[in-house]
Amino acid sequence: MAEIVYPPVIKTALGVFKALNIKFRLEGTEHIPRTGGAVLVSNHVSYLDFIFAGLAAHPAGRLVRFMAKKEIFDNRIAGPLMRGMHHIPVDRNAGASSYAAALKALKSGEIVGVFAEATISRSFTVKDIKSGAVRMAVASKVPLVPVAIWGPQRLWTKGRKRRLLQRGVPVTILVGEPMHPKRGDDYDQVTRDLRARMSELLEKAQREYPDVPRSDETWWQPAYLGGTAPTPEEAEKLDLEEAEARKAAREERERKKGS
């Protein structure tokens, strides 16, 4: 397929990162297949993760087609870019079509990127993940590649103001060894193994991160390292409250339309 949009976007992003003196640590890129399909599964700590997870495949000369919620494609600015980069919209009311589009991309030799936690982790630990990524890899006969990202939450994450022009923020991107699930495996167990690998990579990235938060910046550090980010249990409660508020808002909109 023609790549008119994606390469210029990458070039622009790298230029911006250089201007902002973003300090990258990128390890394990040899695990990205040089050819053929793969499911790249990353943790999710910020609204910028698709950019940084995509950079994990850049040294291999690969482009990643990310699965992202349909609402992003509906945005008048982000939408044309997402479509131009051939990312895959996910409509939660029509999940089968999104899954079919991902399988088609994988079988044609593309790398498909998945944020298996579905939403940003407020605790900055790896949330429970569903087996969709594993099932896609098995159905397409391609490897699963775990990735951990750390640092972008300082630029823009859930519940915090954007600080996109902050200079000198280190960003760590670690790529783990591929997993090769196959038909007949216990998909739930493979999913648990995948989450464990992602958690190990993320903890390594966090413990080896070169910056320590100032006393007024401990929000971006996970609780288990002494930060003031919510614990996983507190984060789950916040997520449930947010989901209930969104549901109530939708129902109110529907009620007003019907009245």
Side-chain angles (χ1 to χ4, degrees):
M1 66 181 75
E3 298 295 349
I4 300 172
V5 177
Y6 215 147
V9 168
I10 292 175
K11 186 175 181 180
T12 300
L14 291 174
V16 171
F17 297 152
K18 184 176 181 180
L20 293 175
N21 192 30
I22 299 293
K23 303 171 183 178
F24 285 102
R25 174 189 173 191
L26 184 55
E27 293 183 5
T29 57
E30 69 276 9
H31 298 310
I32 302 291
R34 265 48 180 176
T35 59
V39 180
L40 186 153
V41 189
S42 174
N43 69 308
H44 203 4
V45 295
S46 84
Y47 292 109
L48 305 173
D49 291 341
F50 74 96
I51 300 174
F52 296 108
L55 289 180
H58 190 59
R62 304 298 304 274
L63 299 175
V64 182
R65 315 298 176 183
F66 284 98
M67 300 186 74
K69 60 184 180 180
K70 178 180 175 292
E71 289 79 0
I72 300 176
F73 291 79
D74 293 336
N75 183 278
R76 64 184 182 87
I77 297 174
L81 289 174
M82 296 294 282
R83 287 187 290 273
M85 290 186 281
H86 307 294
H87 294 313
I88 302 168
V90 176
D91 185 345
R92 291 177 182 175
N93 295 319
S97 63
S98 304
Y99 185 80
L103 290 185
K104 182 179 179 181
L106 290 166
K107 290 177 180 179
S108 67
E110 298 281 1
I111 295 179
V112 170
V114 177
F115 295 106
E117 297 165 279
T119 60
I120 289 173
S121 171
R122 300 174 191 262
S123 67
F124 304 135
T125 60
V126 180
K127 299 169 60 175
D128 287 339
I129 62 177
K130 297 188 182 300
S131 62
V134 174
R135 294 177 185 278
M136 284 195 298
V138 171
S140 305
K141 299 180 181 179
V142 301
L144 279 168
V145 183
V147 173
I149 301 172
W150 186 243
Q153 77 280 5
R154 297 174 62 184
L155 300 172
W156 189 15
T157 193
K158 183 177 287 188
R160 292 284 169 175
K161 291 182 178 179
R162 283 176 288 188
R163 300 196 296 179
L164 300 177
L165 299 182
Q166 187 177 183
R167 295 178 55 82
V169 172
V171 171
T172 300
I173 306 167
L174 303 182
V175 184
E177 293 184 8
M179 300 172 64
H180 299 273
K182 61 185 182 301
R183 290 192 186 279
D185 287 347
D186 181 337
Y187 294 165
D188 290 337
Q189 183 58 54
V190 176
T191 300
R192 287 191 289 270
D193 293 343
L194 172 61
R195 180 175 180 266
R197 291 197 187 192
M198 293 169 63
S199 296
E200 289 172 7
L201 288 169
L202 180 58
E203 182 172 345
K204 175 180 173 66
Q206 291 169 337
R207 290 190 180 279
E208 298 177 359
Y209 193 66
D211 280 8
V212 175
R214 303 192 311 261
S215 58
D216 61 339
E217 290 264 302
T218 55
W219 62 265
W220 61 257
Q221 189 81 305
Y224 86 94
L225 286 179
T228 54
T231 65
E233 294 76 19
E234 291 167 342
E236 183 178 8
K237 182 179 178 181
L238 290 170
D239 287 343
L240 287 172
E241 290 172 353
E242 182 182 65
E244 289 172 359
R246 283 201 305 266
K247 181 181 178 182
R250 284 196 304 270
E251 291 174 349
E252 178 64 15
R253 287 195 298 269
E254 291 300 319
R255 186 189 65 79
K256 287 181 178 179
K257 286 181 182 178
S259 61

